[in-house]
Amino acid sequence: MDLHRCRFVPYPPSAINALAFSHPSSLTTSSKGPPTLRLAIGKANGDLEIWNPLRGAWHQESVFRGGKDRSIEGLTWTQDPEEEDKNGFKVAGRLRLFSIGYSTSVTEWDLATGRPLRHASGNYGELWCMAAQPRLQATPNEDTMTINGVEIGITRYQSLVVGCADGPIVLLSTADGDLQFQRTLTRPPKKKARVLSITWQNRHLVIAGHADSTIRVFDTRNGQQIRSMSLGAGPQGGPKEILVWSVKCRPDGTIVSGDSTGTVSFWDARHYSRLQRITSHKADILDLAISANGETVFSGGMDRRTTLYRETAGSKPGEKKRWAEIAHQRFHAHDVKAMAVFETKKTSILASGGLDTTPIIVPVREFGREHHRTLSSLPQQPPVRSAPRKGLLVSWWDREVNIWRILRSKGSHDAAPVLEGLPHPPEKKLVAKVLLRGAESITSADVLQDGSLLAVSTLSDFKMFHLRERLDTTMSLRKIDLPDELAKVGAKAIQVSPDGKWMSLTTNNNKIQLHRISRLESPKDIPCVLPQPINLRRLPRKPALSNYLHGSLGAYDRSITHTAFSANSRILVVGDLAGHLDTWVLEGNEDLSRDPPVTSVDNRRRSSSASSLSSSSSSSSSSASDSEANPTLIYAQHWRRSPTAHLIPKLPSAPLIMSFRPANSCTLSNAFTNGTTVQPTRHTSQPHSHDLPHGEARLFILTAEHQVYEFDVLAGKMTDWSRRNPTSTLPPDFRALRDRAMGCVWDIAAPSSSSSSSSASSPPPVLSSTGSSTAGRCRERIWLYGSAWLWMFDLSQDFPERADDDASEGDEEQLAPKSNKKRKRGNGQAQSLARIDDIPSKKIQKTRKGKESGAGGIIPAHEVNAGIGRSMRKTVGPAGDEARIFALGQGGSDGTSTDEEEDDEDVDEDNGPSAALIRLRRGKQATTTTGLADETQKAEDGVEMMAKGEGEQEKEKEKRPYWGTYKYRPILGIVPIGEGGGSSSSSSRGGGGVEVALVERPMFEVDLPGRYFGDQEWEERKDGGGGMI
């Protein structure tokens, strides 16, 4: 594979301003969290990201694009109360997401469409903070409750409270699925102090931190201020007033605040007096987070520190517990602006983000015993496309589209010639740029493979441009006039078919529209889009049943995430977040002599009015049957649902990659139609053929849990390769990857003439008993990539077999070192720590993923003492004669976890069929475990070894069934810029394979604002002094 490393593509990631989990922490939940658990991340550019923790996989499911001068400064979730249906069964309440940002409005988002659902604004200043009322913990049959002898009604909905820049605190109601103004609490008496932070102490009391060194307590039942707590004057030589950037409450009501002096203060829940303060930061504390049991507090600030506090017993008997700073680490490279905690019995994580644009997951209970995890700041869907026939690279961000021309490599057969004496043209050149008007950001874009047409969409409109080359090697763009119905359609995703004749639009309401692109012979003629759209209907699916207490995401699971055309552009597949796949096929033979259909406005109005008179169920069924009986013919062809669509099963998780195998001479089918069309008769004025497509129909799928499947879409079943190579046979290094896959590139080529003479009618190569293909096999490689890795799988071979699980456990026990040392007398705790460090835990090795808390991997026992270690010795008093040991973990005295539960209900990893069944499918005899281990070890050598030369690596890659590297990072996307992939012409180019452009966006090239430098940081300061730069 010829690879161009591109770092010139602009894509500036945006800072993280807000974080919020969809569910509160619950230590009574035995699993790793409800299936509807989501993490919402608000960006400074107005983007809103929805992440699924997925039991530690962390999949970025959706990105709701923002717009110009928009920012998200606060996020919160609520859950409507459960209801009963007509059969008496309880129905889960809907989960709702709200945001604020530099305006006077609170916005509720429609998760299914990714657009704002409603706004609530009033006659008050800009909103700076927001918090949701805690859920009511009462008996469901109770409608009233008694407070101080007064019986009042109970509302089961969660109200919102927001703090404004001019001082007031506003209460909003979310009852009955609406968002309405309820009341304004009492304003501060002296001056309009800005409300910087806010939280609920219980369902009636609100704690607000202001910009005048004061924390105030309000009662939402009567709107009165009941207490005011002062932090005193500011530091000497600094501002007179202290800014209370964050306030949070423990489960017992204790108030915790963080301010601009870097001090964390603890306040009594009843008398509102300060209990203790700890100055642990060198600059402002911007946010706080508290664990579910209230025993752990985290703080993050401008000095990049994430500080851990725990309540510890006194050094003397009878002394009260005191809060202490246990440890601090700099996980972030810039200010830490937002933090959020979620905990269950098996999950305990802290999510944080800031100006460095990178979300970081930190373990809470296992702090010091597990690694933290850094999520990618780049989108899951790569914002890059390419036109391989012209060597064009298209990228977009916000409202800008850039088109680059990448020079072919010198060995390419279509490389531009260079005359002697003339300078060599630059390797890359910006040939065109598009700046969209309006405030909406670009959601998707695509370009034809010949680079003649560019399609761009936002949430509100759709545009197309005709590209033509100029004499100075640049390109001219001309906007194409589109029908009003198409120009006003907002699309989340665009996909152009490989032949450039069809364009698929995924609308905001998750509908599929197909448009036919009319291509003329002359390159000077502008292509057009036929005004008649084809609306494809997906199969109705029943929502998955879940606990009503977990809440419902509504139609969010049916959001379409991926669309794929087959190589012949006659099969279309879409996948959604729930894992459902819908397939359609193009029926009939193309006849350009037929006139395309023209639907008048009057006919459309009559059809829409007629459909509105009938009921929703009957109209949907009748319209579906009418569309099948009277299909929309375009050039004697029409799209219909695949006859085998119902046979394709539901995926266990959302698809990350969906791609058809490109066609080549090894996979071309002999069953071609003769291309004849059906002629009209007196009784049938618009006849059409019912010929279904033939040829390559194998669809490769990689799910969010990195499970690999391949389906024959026309047959409605898994392919033989997928049955012989389940997920359990994938390389262990690939299965251990934590960063999710982003995309793929195919490298398909026919065997060279020197090895074998191939023809269109030659059968596919036969695999040998060892899993390697015979001589003259076709090259069928797929290159998968994530933000920090690149892997190649040769699908013409079978992966090496793995031993059964029992044999693997036996091998681990044999490889585990045994301690022959006799027990020595001495400190029992020291001996316990020594035994833990010397002998690896078999329990942790066996249930590694099941026991992880949801952040990074478990730190090996011999590495725990490195860095911050398991415990910390802290001296107390000026003389330093007293010392206490603080354990970083919340387990036993030796730092090991005291949770002896063996419940591994969350460890539902699909290991696939057993090794014996895999060997049976491959037609092999059973082999010994030793032989399998040797074969596995040979295959594991396929991971790249940096010490070898490039020539040796290329030779080894030809023999291996897979190969991987971590050399390129972070990867924004990989796209082909040559015509080698998917065609047999690549064999004539020296066997180099497909030519691709690998786009990298390293963080050190991102322009970030100046950050704080402490006194003990020995980094070079641009201003030559200490403090801020």
Side-chain angles (χ1 to χ4, degrees), residues 710 718-726 913 917-918 921:
E710 190 180 51
M718 295 180 63
T719 63
D720 294 337
W721 180 91
S722 185
R723 291 171 57 83
R724 296 194 310 267
N725 298 272
L917 180 57
I918 295 173
R921 289 175 176 176

Side-chain angles (χ1 to χ4, degrees), residues 478-489:
R478 181 176 178 180
K479 186 178 178 180
I480 300 177
D481 295 332
L482 301 175
D484 294 338
E485 293 82 358
L486 177 58
K488 297 180 181 179
V489 171

Side-chain angles (χ1 to χ4, degrees), residues 191 193-194 196-197 209-216 229-236 238-246 257-265 267 274 277 279 284-285:
K191 58 181 180 179
R194 182 178 302 163
L196 300 178
S197 55
H210 292 72
D212 58 350
S213 307
T214 306
I215 300 175
R216 295 178 173 87
M229 300 171 285
S230 176
L231 277 74
Q236 186 177 1
K240 295 182 180 179
E241 296 179 342
I242 298 176
L243 307 179
V244 186
W245 288 114
S246 180
S257 65
D259 53 50
S260 58
T261 63
T263 302
V264 175
S265 302
W267 307 80
R274 180 147 58 182
R277 63 179 180 181
T279 303
D284 298 40
I285 294 178

Side-chain angles (χ1 to χ4, degrees), residues 946-966:
M946 303 305 297
K948 295 185 178 181
E950 294 292 338
E952 297 181 4
Q953 293 178 14
E954 291 296 332
K955 293 180 180 179
E956 292 186 2
K957 283 188 289 183
E958 291 290 341
K959 303 178 182 179
R960 302 169 189 161
Y962 58 84
W963 178 85
T965 181
Y966 308 95

